Amino acid sequence: MPRILMVEDDAQITELLETYLGRYGLEVMSVDRPSVALDKLRVEQYDLALLDLGLPEMDGLELCKLLKKQYPQMPVIISTARHDVSDKVVAFEIGADDYIAKPYDPRELVARIQMILKRYSQLSSPEEASVFAVDPVKMQITQEGQVLDLTQAEYEIFALLLQKRHQVVSREFIAGSVDAMRWESSDRSIDVIVSRIRHKIGDDPKDPRYIRSVRGVGYKYIGA
Ligand code: CA
């Protein structure tokens, strides 16, 4: 189920869209402030972000710019009540994938979301298909379709490495972001859990296909 991160400070719109998009098989997580959206993105993955333009803390355009820099693979739609054409131009200039003026017909929004999701899914070619898939709702990770038998700490650490694929993730970052590690943050226990994950996914630490150790820092997911 595609997951949409909606940043909208109007509770009425939020409620309406959550229900409406839900009917079309789109799961909506709504937050009313950019800082909360950024917090969410640090721990979860979303397929698309829908941003209001007038927001507290920072403008939707500023937030879009930030998201495009940090999460270039996530499409962004900007929606706004302002009828200012210059906003629209700026939105596209800073990389927004679409722009929709309020009030709009929710059916139009659904159609645009579906179109963008389709376009992005075509961008990732079949040979780049992931070996592992994370289901954050069930807290499960599958390896080529098979559900892995992971403890909560193993799940959380592996999901984090997969989310930050091809980036080095430090032990400090793992200790700070993974709930199961907050009260037990010794580097050693992180290493023990990673070695258990490796064992379960059949990865050889000496010649890794998936998880590489980065000496003195942490780990990096190197697979597809
Ligand atoms: Ca607003």
Side-chain angles (χ1 to χ4, degrees), residues 95-150:
D97 296 86
D98 209 348
Y99 184 99
I100 185 164
K102 288 176 192 169
Y104 49 79
D105 183 338
R107 278 177 299 183
E108 187 187 345
L109 179 65
V110 169
R112 288 181 184 221
I113 289 175
Q114 284 168 341
M115 203 170 67
I116 290 173
L117 290 177
K118 198 171 158 204
R119 198 187 331 142
Y120 269 69
S121 72
Q122 283 164 349
L123 290 177
S124 49
S125 60
E127 46 290 359
E128 277 178 1
S130 288
V131 178
F132 299 97
V134 181
D135 182 337
V137 177
K138 291 190 196 152
M139 289 187 69
Q140 277 179 349
I141 298 175
T142 55
Q143 179 173 15
E144 274 152 2
Q146 298 288 319
V147 176
L148 292 165
D149 182 18
L150 302 173

Side-chain angles (χ1 to χ4, degrees), residues 118-187:
K118 198 171 158 204
R119 198 187 331 142
Y120 269 69
S121 72
Q122 283 164 349
L123 290 177
S124 49
S125 60
E127 46 290 359
E128 277 178 1
S130 288
V131 178
F132 299 97
V134 181
D135 182 337
V137 177
K138 291 190 196 152
M139 289 187 69
Q140 277 179 349
I141 298 175
T142 55
Q143 179 173 15
E144 274 152 2
Q146 298 288 319
V147 176
L148 292 165
D149 182 18
L150 302 173
T151 64
Q152 193 192 335
E154 288 163 3
Y155 164 82
E156 288 187 42
I157 290 180
F158 194 27
L160 184 67
L161 293 177
L162 287 167
Q163 193 203 343
K164 305 256 168 208
R165 58 183 59 213
H166 307 153
Q167 299 170 46
V168 180
V169 184
S170 70
R171 291 190 181 78
E172 289 74 32
F173 188 80
I174 294 174
S177 340
V178 171
D179 280 339
M181 297 306 299
R182 290 241 162 96
W183 313 109
E184 195 208 340
S185 60
S186 95
D187 290 353

Side-chain angles (χ1 to χ4, degrees), residues 3-218:
R3 307 179 76 223
I4 314 292
L5 178 64
M6 179 161 64
V7 192
E8 169 65 69
D9 59 344
D10 182 330
Q12 251 182 320
I13 295 181
T14 303
E15 208 175 305
L16 180 88
L17 285 181
E18 272 177 12
T19 316
Y20 193 85
L21 297 182
R23 269 192 253 149
Y24 287 87
L26 299 165
E27 188 188 325
V28 179
M29 160 58 69
S30 44
V31 299
D32 59 1
R33 276 172 300 140
S35 59
V36 184
L38 294 169
D39 283 345
K40 288 272 170 207
L41 282 162
R42 268 187 274 275
V43 289
E44 280 169 44
Q45 232 176 330
Y46 294 91
D47 300 292
L48 183 142
L50 178 62
L51 312 180
D52 181 27
L53 206 51
L55 288 167
E57 299 174 345
M58 72 171 83
D59 195 270
L61 290 173
E62 258 176 272
L63 180 60
C64 174
K65 211 158 138 189
L66 208 65
L67 294 182
K68 278 292 169 186
K69 207 163 135 195
Q70 289 185 24
Y71 307 95
Q73 76 291 356
M74 181 179 66
V76 176
I77 298 180
I78 288 182
S79 94
T80 180
R82 296 189 213 166
H83 292 282
D84 187 346
V85 72
S86 73
D87 281 343
K88 190 170 178 172
V89 173
V90 173
F92 286 119
E93 270 173 8
I94 59 175
D97 296 86
D98 209 348
Y99 184 99
I100 185 164
K102 288 176 192 169
Y104 49 79
D105 183 338
R107 278 177 299 183
E108 187 187 345
L109 179 65
V110 169
R112 288 181 184 221
I113 289 175
Q114 284 168 341
M115 203 170 67
I116 290 173
L117 290 177
K118 198 171 158 204
R119 198 187 331 142
Y120 269 69
S121 72
Q122 283 164 349
L123 290 177
S124 49
S125 60
E127 46 290 359
E128 277 178 1
S130 288
V131 178
F132 299 97
V134 181
D135 182 337
V137 177
K138 291 190 196 152
M139 289 187 69
Q140 277 179 349
I141 298 175
T142 55
Q143 179 173 15
E144 274 152 2
Q146 298 288 319
V147 176
L148 292 165
D149 182 18
L150 302 173
T151 64
Q152 193 192 335
E154 288 163 3
Y155 164 82
E156 288 187 42
I157 290 180
F158 194 27
L160 184 67
L161 293 177
L162 287 167
Q163 193 203 343
K164 305 256 168 208
R165 58 183 59 213
H166 307 153
Q167 299 170 46
V168 180
V169 184
S170 70
R171 291 190 181 78
E172 289 74 32
F173 188 80
I174 294 174
S177 340
V178 171
D179 280 339
M181 297 306 299
R182 290 241 162 96
W183 313 109
E184 195 208 340
S185 60
S186 95
D187 290 353
R188 237 196 87 78
S189 55
I190 292 176
D191 293 341
V192 170
I193 293 165
V194 170
S195 88
R196 279 197 232 122
I197 297 169
R198 278 175 164 151
H199 181 71
K200 290 183 181 179
I201 63 178
D203 205 16
D204 177 1
K206 292 194 190 78
D207 180 23
R209 273 195 299 162
Y210 304 123
I211 301 174
R212 178 178 292 162
S213 301
V214 181
R215 195 196 294 250
V217 185

